[in-house]
Amino acid sequence: MGNTMNAEFTHSPDEPLDEVDVALLADLARIADEIDPVPAGLVDRSLFAITLAGLEAEVMELEYVQAPAMSVRGDAPPVEARTITFTSESVTVMISLSPADGGLVRIDGWAAPATALRVELHRPGSVSEASSDDDGRFAFDAVERGPASLVVRRADGSGGAVSTPVIEL
Amino acid sequence: MIMVVDPIGAAIGSPDPSDPLLRPNPTSVPRTESMSRPTDEQVPTGESEESLGDRGAFALLEYREGRTHAFEAFVREATPLLWHTVRAQGVDREQADDLVQTVWVALVRNATTIKEPHAVLKWLLITAKRASWEAVRRHRDEARRRTELPDDTDEGIPELPSSAPSPEAEVLGNERDRGLWQAMARLPERCQKLLRLVSLADRPDYKAISAATGMPVGSIGSTRGRCLAKLRDIIDDQGESWETP
């Protein structure tokens, strides 16, 4: 193949976009999505995260995921046991997800440093609450699938709230 | 939250959020749903039609007024652009999912302090890039710490992503697509960046492109023309047709 970089243009760069240009750009976008698809549900997770932004909680970082397919999100296989760790400067929260009856999900969580916590599970349109024991353990036994975020506060009210990024249960 | 560095200071001028004078001026906010453009500063986009930047500006102004419909539409439309921007910095898929969410959250948290609604797309792209660099740097540091501990064989640590987007043309089923992707790979880096950006959004405004590529606003129109002309020359040279079948 010749070095076209230095060749004279046979296509004029000065003309406005014609339909071939427009079609090429559309092809490029389609190919980019084929090679690295935007995860299913990312828009919904983002919209949900935006509604949670009003809680003024510090958003934790997803540290790492142990799962058969290394994925907790829209492109995940059906739920199997998964462990996800979230960190912030003040607290680390680890949760294990496992299947519950009726296609629901059970969440077992543990926070460090160990202390009594109030934990809110936010899902679009609903919030449920659990309290941890003094060792920082908590559980939600049967949760619907879909986008969700946990917001964690100390039971004694000291310190601020932290929230996990929105994950797909 | 470690990842989002507020880029307002560097990029857009640093307003004090507590300053009441910087609150949105209600008179500049379009009052009717039918109005498609915000009334404040218009950035020349080189296009006569409404750009993604225009829609972003309108969405932000609406959001400030408590109306979320346009904002949701903007999130839908701009999320793919943010996704590919983050991924192009070498962030793995799992973390990119977080980063995109985090960038949107950062935007609404700064919704009232962004002085220039027309800079919203630029703001998003800069925020996404900085958050990505920070995430990649942290992953590298973590990997370095891990390699210093030879006994640690934890398999839960995600692999380091490569720093460049790989042109994984082999996953493409269609020969024509492979040809086009290979032709892209032969373009100069700046052309690849520019065309990727232009293709992923329906007319991103030139300010946003400039922020993402480092090209001066004034040269983007002509550079886009040159890059597309080169791309079509390369496709010809590969002996393939670019005509849509």
Side-chain angles (χ1 to χ4, degrees):
Chain A
M1 286 180 193
N3 183 356
T4 52
M5 290 295 90
N6 298 323
E8 295 260 314
F9 291 123
T10 54
H11 293 98
S12 166
D14 298 324
E15 286 165 19
L17 288 186
D18 64 18
E19 71 243 23
V20 175
D21 290 327
V22 171
L24 273 179
L25 290 173
D27 283 340
L28 290 176
R30 182 180 47 75
I31 294 171
D33 195 59
E34 221 168 290
I35 288 179
D36 184 26
V38 178
L42 177 57
V43 167
D44 290 334
R45 284 190 290 282
S46 296
L47 290 172
F48 184 47
I50 286 168
T51 66
L52 295 178
L55 298 173
E56 299 292 336
E58 180 197 357
V59 180
M60 307 177 81
E61 192 193 358
L62 182 114
E63 187 73 12
Y64 60 89
V65 180
Q66 285 172 314
M70 280 296 293
S71 181
V72 286
R73 294 257 168 54
D75 37 355
V79 176
E80 295 166 53
R82 291 178 291 163
T83 300
I84 309 169
T85 305
F86 304 97
T87 57
S88 72
E89 265 178 35
S90 57
V91 66
T92 296
V93 175
M94 193 171 89
I95 60 171
S96 288
L97 305 178
S98 51
D101 289 345
L104 303 178
V105 180
R106 179 186 166 86
I107 303 173
D108 288 286
W110 175 74
T115 182
L117 300 165
R118 276 194 303 129
V119 183
E120 294 165 8
L121 174 70
H122 290 255
R123 306 184 55 255
S126 79
V127 183
S128 36
E129 244 189 273
S131 298
S132 79
D133 63 18
D134 291 342
D135 293 330
R137 289 179 187 280
F138 60 90
F140 295 89
D141 348 316
V143 182
E144 299 262 355
R145 297 188 181 196
S149 166
L150 293 170
V151 176
V152 177
R153 295 184 175 81
R154 295 169 75 107
D156 64 12
S158 66
V162 295
S163 72
T164 68
V166 178
I167 60 162
E168 201 77 15
L169 292 178
Chain B
M1 180 166 61
I2 48 89
M3 286 175 290
V4 169
V5 184
D6 181 354
I8 294 183
I12 308 170
S14 187
D16 174 2
S18 63
D19 182 352
L21 295 176
L22 295 173
R23 303 286 297 184
N25 172 5
T27 59
S28 72
V29 177
R31 287 292 175 184
T32 60
E33 288 290 334
S34 62
M35 206 163 155
S36 62
R37 282 170 183 272
T39 53
D40 65 345
E41 183 222 5
Q42 292 289 313
V43 175
T45 61
E47 309 283 350
S48 55
E49 291 167 66
E50 187 190 66
S51 72
L52 180 58
D54 294 332
R55 289 191 290 282
F58 177 67
L60 183 67
L61 293 170
E62 285 281 285
Y63 186 84
R64 286 176 178 173
E65 294 292 296
R67 289 188 290 267
T68 56
H69 187 74
F71 195 79
E72 285 180 25
F74 179 59
V75 171
R76 251 169 236 295
E77 189 179 0
T79 287
L81 181 59
L82 288 183
W83 169 260
H84 289 291
T85 300
V86 168
R87 292 280 292 148
Q89 316 306 318
V91 177
D92 69 47
R93 285 180 65 84
E94 213 39 89
Q95 194 161 27
D97 199 300
D98 280 2
L99 286 184
V100 172
Q101 288 180 36
T102 311
V103 170
W104 285 120
V105 169
L107 176 63
V108 300
R109 286 189 170 162
N110 288 288
T112 55
T113 60
I114 294 177
K115 263 199 278 191
E116 214 183 307
H118 259 285
V120 70
L121 191 55
K122 168 177 164 180
W123 190 99
L124 284 170
L125 291 172
I126 291 175
T127 305
K129 282 181 105 167
R130 293 194 181 163
S132 303
W133 295 338
E134 173 69 8
V136 169
R137 189 186 59 73
R138 283 170 53 91
H139 264 281
R140 289 213 177 107
D141 290 352
E142 191 176 300
R144 199 173 303 130
R145 270 204 319 276
R146 301 240 158 220
T147 53
E148 283 162 9
L149 299 168
D151 289 336
D152 190 342
T153 55
D154 191 337
E155 288 171 5
I157 302 302
E159 279 183 21
L160 273 184
S162 75
S163 60
S166 57
E168 296 154 273
E170 63 273 18
V171 310
L172 297 170
N174 175 325
E175 195 179 329
R176 185 175 159 279
D177 286 353
R178 282 198 297 274
L180 178 51
W181 208 243
Q182 280 155 11
M184 264 289 266
R186 290 174 62 195
L187 285 175
E189 183 76 25
R190 58 196 260 116
C191 276
Q192 294 187 34
K193 272 191 189 162
L194 179 64
L195 291 184
R196 217 176 287 133
L197 202 60
V198 174
S199 73
L200 287 171
D202 182 19
R203 281 184 286 281
D205 60 87
Y206 282 13
K207 256 190 186 172
I209 295 175
S210 171
T213 61
M215 290 176 205
V217 169
S219 74
I220 289 170
S222 58
T223 308
R224 183 191 64 184
R226 268 201 307 281
C227 293
L228 276 167
K230 272 183 195 168
L231 181 62
R232 287 169 69 169
D233 284 348
I234 293 172
I235 294 168
D236 283 354
D237 183 53
Q238 289 182 175
E240 287 161 49
S241 166
W242 66 82
E243 304 293 346
T244 307

